[in-house]
Amino acid sequence: GLQVGVVGTDIALSGLSRFIAGLDISPNSRAFIVEPDGQLVAVSAGRHVRRDDDGHYRRVNADDSGEPLLEQAWQHVRDHLPDLSVSDQRVHTLSFTDEQGQHVLVSVHHILDGAGLDWYAVIAVPASDILTDVRNKVVLVMFCGVLAILLAAMLGMVVLGRVADDVEQLSTVVGGAA
């Protein structure tokens, strides 16, 4: 009945940061993993650790990351932590308007397990980045549609010209026989 030891597990945060940095998100987006107190675990851009004046490495707080979108996204997520802290394992979506007036979409997943892990995985994407792909596809479809109409019109003119030539020849032959 006596406690004789503790089992611990180490997670290499640099490996987790490399994974987050390798996510296929737009260059203007930010993905990060953060603890409830704001300490960054991993980031897609920037650093999750910094060397202080004493030469020791310290974890960076999301509020002081130097990444404006990350800081604003964390502030918005932090304001909604009571709603996000339920352990229902759902991905929650939030949105806010950043300092430049841009609409930003945020996806948050609370990672919680029985061993004490308590993290939030967050992805913040400016809405304009999402709509850029849609706009590009609409322009491509419109271009292809106009091209198809022009090709159909040219093909129609060629066919109509040949039919008109055949009708003219038939008219000449019929008129000459009379």
Side-chain angles (χ1 to χ4, degrees):
L2 296 173
Q3 184 177 11
V4 282
V6 176
V7 176
T9 305
D10 289 335
I11 298 173
L13 299 183
S14 60
L16 198 51
S17 267
R18 278 193 302 276
F19 171 77
I20 295 292
L23 293 175
D24 188 19
I25 58 176
S26 72
N28 301 320
S29 301
R30 294 294 176 260
F32 58 98
I33 299 174
V34 63
E35 293 182 344
D37 64 357
Q39 294 297 312
L40 290 171
V41 175
V43 294
S44 62
R47 311 260 322 144
H48 68 283
V49 292
R50 283 195 195 119
R51 189 178 288 207
D52 63 13
D53 295 337
D54 299 335
H56 296 99
Y57 284 99
R58 304 263 187 245
R59 293 196 22 226
V60 175
N61 192 288
D63 290 321
D64 302 319
S65 69
E67 291 285 329
L69 181 60
L70 187 150
E71 290 175 7
Q72 292 172 50
W74 171 242
Q75 289 167 6
H76 194 71
V77 168
R78 187 181 54 220
D79 293 343
H80 290 85
L81 281 184
D83 303 329
L84 304 173
S85 292
V86 289
S87 58
D88 59 6
Q89 298 300 311
R90 289 186 307 136
V91 174
H92 298 271
T93 55
L94 308 168
S95 66
F96 67 95
T97 303
D98 69 6
E99 292 173 351
Q100 288 80 32
Q102 222 177 184
H103 188 69
V104 177
L105 304 171
V106 180
S107 181
V108 183
H109 180 67
H110 189 198
I111 303 167
L112 187 65
D113 71 3
L117 191 66
D118 188 7
W119 290 346
Y120 291 93
V122 181
I123 297 178
V125 182
S128 60
D129 285 12
I130 295 170
L131 296 178
T132 297
D133 287 340
V134 173
R135 280 189 210 114
N136 291 343
K137 293 205 182 350
V138 166
V139 168
L140 179 64
V141 167
M142 288 176 61
F143 175 76
C144 290
V146 169
L147 185 63
I149 289 170
L150 290 175
L151 286 174
M154 288 174 50
L155 184 60
M157 296 291 275
V158 168
V159 169
L160 183 62
R162 287 188 181 167
V163 169
D165 287 345
D166 289 346
V167 169
E168 185 179 337
Q169 287 177 1
L170 182 61
S171 168
T172 303
V173 170
V174 169

